[in-house]
Amino acid sequence: MRDAGPLLAAAADGTRERLLAQSRPLVLPRGAAVFAQDAPADHLHVLLEGSVGLSTMEDGGAATLVEILDPGDAFVVGAAMLRLPCPVSAATLAPSRIVMIPAELVRAEAVADAGLMQAALEQMARQWRLLVDQVVDLKTRDATQRVARFLARRLPSPQGAAELPEPRAAIAARLGMTPESLSRTLHGLEAAGLLRLDGRRVDVPDRAALLRLALPRSDHRARPA
């Protein structure tokens, strides 16, 4: 399976074959539940195609979207490795393909496969960094900066297109704004010539220019034009 993401790509050939031999594929439509919050993390999930949203819910409250995963991401890595319940629920935000690998097998193989263990640690570190970035986004960055950073992360190259297969309401929730505010911000960036909207595709002619807009105002003043 060539598109199984960086976690499995880092494993030795024999390790990857054993993991995939025991895996179970999922092909899900948009809006399908993958697992529930507090369910046992008895499988490691790898998103092959599509988009998955991670949400949390307090007793009696509404669900809050906390992250959107991209193809190649492994999820509930920490819970699977530590034998803990899933701290979030997961549902598809677009038609998706997912592979489920028994967590017990992943733990056993990681003991003997340094590449797999290193990749698991890197996945957890990247997800921690994204969580920190999200906290900083919500506390210090305005709507335009948040949208610009989100789109820049979606770009596969310095010039290109960011695909947005998720409902706009889900993206707005991830960015801590209303759908109406997200729409106004996107159209404002388009009017400024920084992007072009085309349905679920956003064409960005210059990623660096988009990221400059995402910098804190003090950074704009400190850097030469």
Side-chain angles (χ1 to χ4, degrees):
M1 188 180 295
R2 294 181 179 179
D3 58 352
L7 183 71
L8 293 180
D13 291 343
T15 301
R16 185 164 53 253
E17 290 172 5
R18 288 189 293 273
L19 292 172
L20 291 174
Q22 298 297 316
S23 69
R24 180 160 68 93
L26 295 176
V27 179
L28 300 172
R30 175 182 291 163
V34 181
F35 54 76
Q37 183 175 334
D38 296 325
D42 49 12
H43 286 83
L44 181 70
H45 295 70
V46 181
L47 178 61
L48 305 181
E49 181 180 322
S51 179
V52 167
L54 303 181
S55 301
T56 184
M57 181 185 299
E58 297 300 324
D59 291 342
T64 300
L65 186 72
V66 296
E67 191 53 89
I68 296 175
L69 303 176
D70 296 323
D73 284 342
F75 48 116
V76 295
V77 182
M81 298 300 282
L82 294 172
R83 300 179 177 86
L84 295 175
C86 298
V88 293
S89 62
T92 56
L93 300 176
S96 300
R97 289 194 303 122
I98 298 167
V99 63
M100 298 171 54
I101 306 170
E104 183 178 2
L105 180 61
V106 175
R107 291 191 294 266
E109 293 289 351
V111 171
D113 190 321
L116 177 61
M117 180 65 80
Q118 178 67 26
L121 291 172
E122 289 177 359
Q123 284 268 321
M124 288 188 283
R126 278 194 294 271
Q127 290 165 3
W128 169 80
R129 177 60 186 269
L130 284 173
L131 179 62
V132 172
D133 282 349
Q134 186 175 161
V135 172
V136 173
D137 271 354
L138 295 175
K139 288 184 173 290
T140 68
R141 296 180 180 122
D142 62 28
T144 299
Q145 290 171 326
R146 279 178 264 162
V147 172
R149 286 172 58 82
F150 181 82
L151 293 176
R153 284 197 295 265
R154 283 287 175 98
L155 288 174
S157 62
Q159 295 83 30
E163 298 295 335
L164 303 179
E166 305 87 0
R168 291 288 172 87
I171 297 173
R174 161 62 179 82
L175 296 174
M177 61 182 69
T178 64
E180 294 77 14
S181 178
L182 174 61
S183 180
R184 286 194 299 270
T185 303
L186 287 170
H187 285 291
L189 291 170
E190 185 175 39
L194 291 168
L195 54 83
R196 185 173 65 255
L197 300 173
D198 183 12
R200 296 187 180 278
R201 170 189 171 109
V202 179
D203 293 306
V204 178
D206 187 345
R207 181 177 185 270
L210 194 65
L211 279 175
R212 282 196 296 272
L213 184 67
L215 289 172
R217 301 308 178 205
S218 60
D219 285 359
H220 280 298
R221 290 193 297 269
R223 296 186 178 207

